[in-house]
Amino acid sequence: MLSDPTAMLVTVAATCLLAKCRHAIPTLLAIFFATACFLNSPFYDGVEPTERLFGFGASAICLAMLMKLANAKTLFDRVYETVQPNIEDIPGFGWSAYADGRLRFLNPKALNYVGVTAAEMSAISKIDNHSWWSKFVHPEDRDGCIDRWDHSLRTGEPIFEEQRVRRHDGTYRWMRDAAIASRDENGHIVAWFGTTVDIDDQRKAEAALLDSQTQLQQMIDTVPALIWCATAEGQPSYINTPLRIWTGIPLESTKPGDSAQFAKAIMATIHPEDRAIWKQSLEQALNSGQAFALRYRQRRHDGVYRWIDGKAEALRGHDGSIIQWYGVCLDINDQVEATEAVRKSENELRLLIDTVPSLIWLMTPEGMPYYFNKRFVDWSGLSVASALLDGDKLKMVEFIHPEDRVAVDSAIKQTIAAGKPFSHKGRLRRKDGQYRWMQSRIEPLLNEDGEIIRWYGVNLDIDDEVRAQEALRRSDERLARALRAASLSELSVSIAHELNQPLQALVANSHAFKRWLDAVPPNLDRANRTAEWIVRDADAAAQVVSRIRALFGKAVFPKHKVDVNALITDLRDLITDRLIAQAVKIEIDLDPHVPATSADRVQLEQVLLNLIRNASEAMQEKTIERQLVTISSRVRGEMIEIEVRDRGTGIIDPDKIFEPFFTTKQDGMGMGLAICHSIIEAHQGQLRAETLPGGGAAVTFSLPIRPIEANDSGNPDPWPERVAASA
Ligand code: ADP
């Protein structure tokens, strides 16, 4: 280095770089001078110093020029200097201003936009100060713009601002200004250069986006639902206003920045007993990515825990990864409490139904049994499972007494078809196998449209009562028979007594008559007189018989208005139970045109009862599959006809049955039909009996259609004098 100054070239190059090329020549000269002094110094022990100095100087100058060229003229600079750009090609509005803000230049695009010519703009800028542009700015933005422009002019800070600028057609559009100050080497501002870009469409799009975001936010915060969001990792990120108010979680705890505190605040609202399961379910959902669903209790702002139906779903990106969790909490406390109340009342009702001393059961609208209360199950021994599972009809039928099955089945079918309540007395089998009399009643439950929803059935065990009644009836019958027998003996004694005298006289006179004729010679005169006595005695006997007959025929006949059809119906209702007990069914077939007539209602009842009893008894003697008594009414000319038909043995001796004391029954008296005959004759009607071709008998009586007297009330005398009460 000390022997050869060539290395000093490095110092020259570095100096050129540092001093920029503007000062390269003076710097180089200074270096040249310094090097000359150095080389001529006594320390430098070189040969031919002038040559070396010359060589070094030439090298340093070449290097300095090369560095200048490299520093001052880049390739780009050279291209740019040679190609003159057209100012029209510059996108956006360009402008420049003097250091004090007065307009220096405005590009044609900007002039076109505001709708003024270059000359007009020049005039505007001359008469105006630096706020020459303010007349094109929206009034609302004007003051702010001037302030900022003033500030930049004072401080030299760049301008970045947005404002609405009026277009030539009077509409305002959003523009963004960016301007910087150009300074001289001393740092003084020499000019301002700026561009203005139309950002109106962008602003509108941003405003629309902001609007929709605001609306969405408002909706989320207004909708009456408790909504929350969590990150993919399960950290709470947002709860909507209703949820925040509902839980009473303070706003500062819901800041997404501090998710740990947020999570803690939420966890604090979960019921302590439900926290573990809540956490576990949430973690499970987070791990599996499957929906979260849980019912749990959460504390409301007032400290009351309420049942919540919590649900959450994951929002996934295109690649299927979870971006966010969205959840909703539904306050179902009222519903849960209502369900609980219903369940409780159902339990109470069930307890009541199972405790009430009746057998209760339910059927579908189609008549399929599907529920039996506990009493029913206990009483019948019916397995609840088998009964409830398929409502096995066969099993149900097994409970009904074989003799009642057909009747019950058809009655239930009719009831279900008609949709009307049904009442029935029949025998059902208890679990010990004993058939017991039950009073059954079924009623439909209708909805508001009148459609049957289900049938309610109640069975009451009335077996003891029925048996007591039956025993009473039997003892009644025994008593009646005894009374009849007693009356009959009385009647017999009386008849015997009445007939005894004339018959004894008849016998005595007959013997006398024979003696008078056997006498030799026959005493014809006395025989003739005796024959007259015989005739007299026979007449007396006949009169006794006539009187007895007259006793039956002499019906007291109080007249009342009788509606024959109503009488038959009442009677049917009265005796149905008794007949069912004998496994006999009764049916009526009434002609609705049968008019009312004047008759003794009690006597007619007596006749009908007698005929029905005979019909029923006729069927007891024969094994008949369906024991049926049919009572029908009809009009035949001037008469009403009432027929009692049965499926029994038929009339064995039709000529004799109306005679008193004719009977084919072991304990019969043979007086019933005789009395009926008397009663019907007394009403000027007729009684007849016939055997039906297909088996069975039909006993028919007729009554004349009598005009109703004005004083006929239709109410029978409660204590009419009975004809042949002894029967
Ligand atoms: P009782 O019933 O006491 O025998 P009735 O005068 O009522 O007396 O009947 C007389 C007889 O008429 C009966 O014993 C019976 O032989 C016959 N009889 C009456 N009604 C019928 C009937 N429906 N079917 C068959 N026989 C009957």
Side-chain angles (χ1 to χ4, degrees):
M1 166 78 181
L2 289 174
S3 61
D4 188 353
T6 311
M8 289 297 285
L9 286 173
V10 178
T11 317
V12 173
T15 310
C16 288
L17 276 174
L18 288 172
K20 305 263 177 179
C21 293
R22 252 192 296 172
H23 311 293
I25 301 300
T27 311
L28 203 59
L29 288 174
I31 294 167
F32 188 77
F33 178 73
T35 310
C37 294
F38 174 72
L39 289 174
N40 288 314
S41 73
F43 300 103
Y44 194 79
D45 187 21
V47 184
E48 297 286 344
T50 316
E51 284 173 18
R52 288 187 187 182
L53 178 62
F54 181 78
F56 173 75
S59 304
I61 288 165
C62 285
L63 182 62
M65 286 181 75
L66 274 173
M67 293 299 291
K68 184 186 174 191
L69 193 67
N71 267 342
K73 301 276 181 185
T74 62
L75 186 62
F76 176 79
D77 286 342
R78 287 201 302 283
V79 171
Y80 188 73
E81 274 171 4
T82 52
V83 180
Q84 286 299 315
N86 189 348
I87 201 90
E88 292 277 351
D89 297 337
I90 299 171
F93 309 150
W95 54 272
S96 68
Y98 294 107
D100 60 0
R102 283 179 301 109
L103 178 66
R104 189 170 140 197
F105 167 74
L106 195 65
N107 78 342
K109 273 195 184 137
L111 289 172
N112 280 348
Y113 178 84
V114 293
V116 295
T117 61
E120 283 168 344
M121 183 52 86
S122 168
I124 291 167
S125 61
K126 266 181 197 147
I127 56 161
D128 207 343
N129 58 12
H130 65 266
S131 60
W132 49 270
W133 43 264
S134 64
K135 60 166 51 181
F136 303 107
V137 175
H138 194 283
E140 287 174 14
D141 305 339
R142 203 171 286 156
D143 292 345
C145 279
I146 290 173
D147 286 349
R148 282 191 293 278
W149 190 211
D150 280 344
H151 175 77
S152 289
L153 289 179
R154 269 198 321 277
T155 59
E157 285 176 12
I159 296 171
F160 295 104
E161 64 178 358
E162 290 175 3
Q163 74 275 314
R164 283 161 286 180
V165 179
R166 194 181 64 222
R167 203 166 56 178
H168 56 85
D169 58 1
T171 54
Y172 284 93
R173 291 179 69 80
W174 279 98
M175 299 286 172
R176 180 182 294 137
D177 271 337
I180 52 164
S182 173
R183 296 168 188 268
D184 61 13
E185 54 271 22
N186 299 320
H188 296 126
I189 295 173
V190 291
W192 288 90
F193 294 94
T195 56
T196 304
V197 184
D198 186 336
I199 56 161
D200 197 68
D201 293 339
Q202 184 192 337
R203 280 292 287 251
K204 279 181 182 150
E206 280 172 6
L209 188 65
L210 193 69
D211 259 13
S212 74
Q213 274 178 349
T214 312
Q215 272 181 18
L216 194 65
Q217 185 69 37
Q218 278 172 352
M219 192 187 84
I220 290 171
D221 282 342
T222 315
V223 77
L226 314 178
I227 297 169
W228 56 268
C229 299
T231 62
E233 296 75 38
Q235 292 301 324
S237 56
Y238 171 75
I239 58 171
N240 74 340
T241 310
L243 180 55
R244 192 171 48 73
I245 294 170
W246 191 91
T247 52
I249 295 177
L251 190 59
E252 56 272 17
S253 304
T254 63
K255 295 271 185 300
D258 191 354
S259 55
Q261 191 196 346
F262 199 171
K264 208 171 145 195
I266 289 172
M267 184 57 99
T269 62
I270 310 292
H271 193 286
E273 288 175 15
D274 299 342
R275 269 176 209 164
I277 178 83
W278 187 83
K279 221 173 143 197
Q280 187 189 336
S281 304
L282 198 64
E283 272 166 12
Q284 200 175 330
L286 290 170
N287 294 337
S288 65
Q290 283 175 350
F292 163 81
L294 184 72
R295 279 190 176 193
Y296 58 94
R297 284 158 293 175
Q298 194 164 10
R299 195 182 58 214
R300 208 168 51 178
H301 59 89
D302 54 3
V304 176
Y305 282 100
R306 292 180 66 84
W307 279 101
I308 296 291
D309 191 8
K311 288 189 193 311
E313 290 270 358
L315 171 73
R316 291 172 187 274
H318 293 300
D319 58 352
S321 61
I322 294 172
I323 300 169
Q324 186 82 280
W325 284 88
Y326 291 103
V328 66
C329 305
L330 289 173
D331 184 342
I332 54 161
N333 202 66
D334 295 343
Q335 190 189 327
V336 169
E337 278 176 4
T339 312
E340 180 59 20
V342 168
R343 200 182 58 78
K344 212 171 152 195
S345 88
E346 262 180 10
N347 275 351
E348 278 169 13
L349 201 64
R350 191 177 298 274
L351 197 70
L352 178 80
I353 287 173
D354 285 344
T355 317
V356 81
S358 302
L359 313 184
I360 297 171
W361 46 285
L362 301 180
M363 283 198 299
T364 61
E366 296 76 36
M368 193 62 84
Y370 68 91
Y371 170 78
F372 304 90
N373 74 341
K374 192 168 175 300
R375 284 226 171 211
F376 196 119
V377 174
D378 291 348
W379 187 89
S380 60
L382 176 81
S383 142
V384 186
S386 72
L388 288 183
L389 267 180
D390 51 6
D392 194 339
K393 257 192 148 181
L394 257 179
K395 283 205 177 100
M396 285 304 293
V397 167
E398 279 172 21
F399 280 107
I400 302 165
H401 193 286
E403 289 173 10
D404 301 345
R405 274 174 203 170
V406 180
V408 170
D409 194 45
S410 81
I412 288 185
K413 274 183 190 148
Q414 278 173 21
T415 302
I416 285 165
K420 297 268 169 54
F422 161 73
S423 181
H424 168 71
K425 199 190 278 183
R427 285 156 290 179
L428 289 182
R429 196 185 61 204
R430 206 164 54 180
K431 66 177 166 193
D432 58 5
Q434 186 195 344
Y435 282 99
R436 291 183 66 82
W437 282 98
M438 305 295 283
Q439 176 73 51
S440 308
R441 184 161 182 86
I442 61 171
E443 294 248 2
L445 174 72
L446 309 176
N447 64 12
E448 55 270 18
D449 298 331
E451 291 160 355
I452 297 171
I453 304 169
R454 68 178 73 96
W455 289 90
Y456 288 108
V458 178
N459 292 352
L460 280 173
D461 189 335
I462 52 162
D463 195 72
D464 296 341
E465 196 183 314
V466 168
R467 287 188 199 283
Q469 274 178 359
E470 181 63 15
L472 196 65
R473 192 182 62 79
R474 284 212 194 95
S475 63
D476 272 359
E477 275 180 3
R478 273 203 303 279
L479 185 65
R481 267 206 299 278
L483 282 173
R484 280 207 300 265
S487 303
L488 185 65
S489 3
E490 246 174 56
L491 190 67
S492 307
V493 170
S494 143
I495 293 169
H497 178 74
E498 286 286 322
L499 285 177
N500 193 35
Q501 210 183 341
L503 287 179
Q504 274 184 0
L506 194 69
V507 171
N509 285 328
S510 298
H511 284 302
F513 178 70
K514 191 171 180 300
R515 272 202 313 275
W516 293 124
L517 284 182
D518 288 346
V520 182
N523 191 335
L524 292 176
D525 192 31
R526 295 298 293 269
N528 198 26
R529 267 185 20 226
T530 313
E532 281 173 9
W533 289 342
I534 289 168
V535 171
R536 188 201 60 197
D537 292 338
D539 271 351
Q543 271 176 23
V544 170
V545 172
S546 294
R547 275 212 310 280
I548 292 167
R549 284 183 67 93
L551 181 68
F552 297 118
K554 220 194 304 171
V556 179
F557 189 44
K559 288 177 189 166
H560 297 292
K561 178 185 169 187
V562 176
D563 178 345
V564 174
N565 282 351
L567 183 136
I568 294 170
T569 311
D570 291 351
L571 214 63
R572 190 265 322 257
D573 294 345
L574 195 77
I575 59 163
T576 298
D577 285 353
R578 180 184 291 197
L579 288 182
I580 284 176
Q582 295 165 2
V584 175
K585 203 181 169 210
I586 187 163
E587 274 181 8
I588 55 175
D589 174 20
L590 305 177
D591 178 353
H593 302 109
V594 169
T597 187
S598 192
D600 182 337
R601 183 186 168 94
V602 175
Q603 286 187 352
L604 290 189
E605 271 179 9
Q606 207 172 344
V607 171
L608 262 174
L609 277 172
N610 228 317
L611 300 187
I612 294 166
R613 184 171 58 88
N614 277 345
S616 160
E617 284 174 359
M619 290 190 288
Q620 301 295 312
E621 292 173 11
K622 197 178 155 190
T623 320
I624 297 155
E625 205 174 282
R626 197 165 169 233
Q627 304 189 354
L628 178 71
V629 176
T630 310
I631 310 172
S632 53
S633 68
R634 56 187 169 254
V635 179
R636 280 267 183 279
E638 295 298 304
M639 307 292 276
I640 298 169
E641 275 192 2
I642 295 144
E643 181 194 80
V644 178
R645 208 176 252 260
D646 61 57
R647 297 179 173 189
T649 48
I651 312 286
I652 295 163
D653 201 343
D655 297 336
K656 286 193 178 164
I657 55 169
F658 298 118
E659 286 179 9
F661 307 115
F662 174 80
T663 182
T664 57
K665 300 169 193 170
Q666 257 188 346
D667 55 351
M669 280 180 58
M671 293 300 289
L673 284 181
I675 292 165
C676 292
H677 195 254
S678 302
I679 291 171
I680 296 305
E681 274 197 341
H683 280 77
Q684 272 119 46
Q686 283 183 346
L687 179 65
R688 61 176 192 278
E690 58 184 316
T691 299
L692 296 169
V699 184
T700 312
F701 67 89
S702 60
L703 292 171
I705 301 169
R706 289 171 190 276
I708 312 297
E709 289 178 13
N711 60 354
D712 281 358
S713 63
N715 296 323
D717 178 359
W719 305 107
E721 188 180 339
R722 303 274 175 128
V723 176
S726 59

